[in-house]
């Protein structure tokens, strides 16, 4: 996609970006597997400029809003999820809310 040019996650294993036989994340998750869940938004010049020129895609873009955030480059929120026999465990412990992050920045 234009603002999310990668998958929403992948297996974690011996390599950081393990890929199974059915792609980044298998259709069925089994106990013992660990996957990432990493939605994000990115502003990639090489993707944005052609989209602004495209007669169809450009109709969905508000250039002023894209330009407002473009210099940020992007942001991704990633969780590492262990699949268990009864559900899942989120292994990621870093803060994600604005309030929590700002509290850490204040010291």
């Amino acid at each position: 996609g234009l603002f999310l040019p990668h998958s929403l996650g992948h297996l974690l294993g011996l390599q950081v970006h393990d890929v199974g036989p059915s792609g980044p994340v298998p259709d069925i998750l089994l106990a013992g597997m660990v996957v990432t869940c990493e939605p994000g938004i990115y502003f990639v010049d090489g993707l944005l400029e052609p989209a602004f020129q495209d007669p169809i895609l450009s109709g969905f873009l508000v250039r002023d809003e894209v330009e407002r955030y473009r210099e940020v480059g992007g942001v991704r929120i990633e969780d590492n999820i262990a699949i268990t026999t009864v559900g899942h465990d989120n292994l990621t412990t870093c803060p994600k809310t604005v309030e929590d992050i700002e509290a850490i920045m204040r010291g």
Side-chain angles (χ1 to χ4, degrees):
L2 179 58
F3 294 103
L4 180 62
H6 60 76
S7 64
L8 284 176
H10 53 82
L11 290 168
L12 284 175
L14 296 176
Q15 297 184 29
V16 174
H17 291 93
D18 267 4
V19 177
S22 61
V25 178
D27 293 334
I28 298 173
L29 297 175
L30 304 173
M33 290 180 167
V34 180
V35 296
T36 66
C37 178
E38 49 187 79
I41 184 169
Y42 301 90
F43 299 91
V44 180
D45 291 338
L47 299 176
L48 286 171
E49 286 309 319
F52 283 129
Q53 303 304 318
D54 184 281
I56 296 172
L57 289 178
S58 62
F60 295 97
L61 301 172
V62 179
R63 185 180 276 273
D64 290 344
E65 290 300 314
V66 171
E67 296 299 336
R68 181 176 170 197
Y69 296 103
R70 195 173 189 169
E71 72 179 48
V72 172
V75 64
R76 174 173 49 202
I77 299 171
E78 182 171 331
D79 287 305
N80 297 320
I81 310 294
I83 308 306
T84 69
T85 57
V86 294
H88 67 278
D89 287 325
N90 187 339
L91 305 175
T92 306
T93 59
C94 71
K96 294 188 182 95
T97 68
V98 171
E99 297 79 14
D100 288 345
I101 293 168
E102 287 177 346
I104 290 170
M105 293 173 68
R106 285 191 298 272

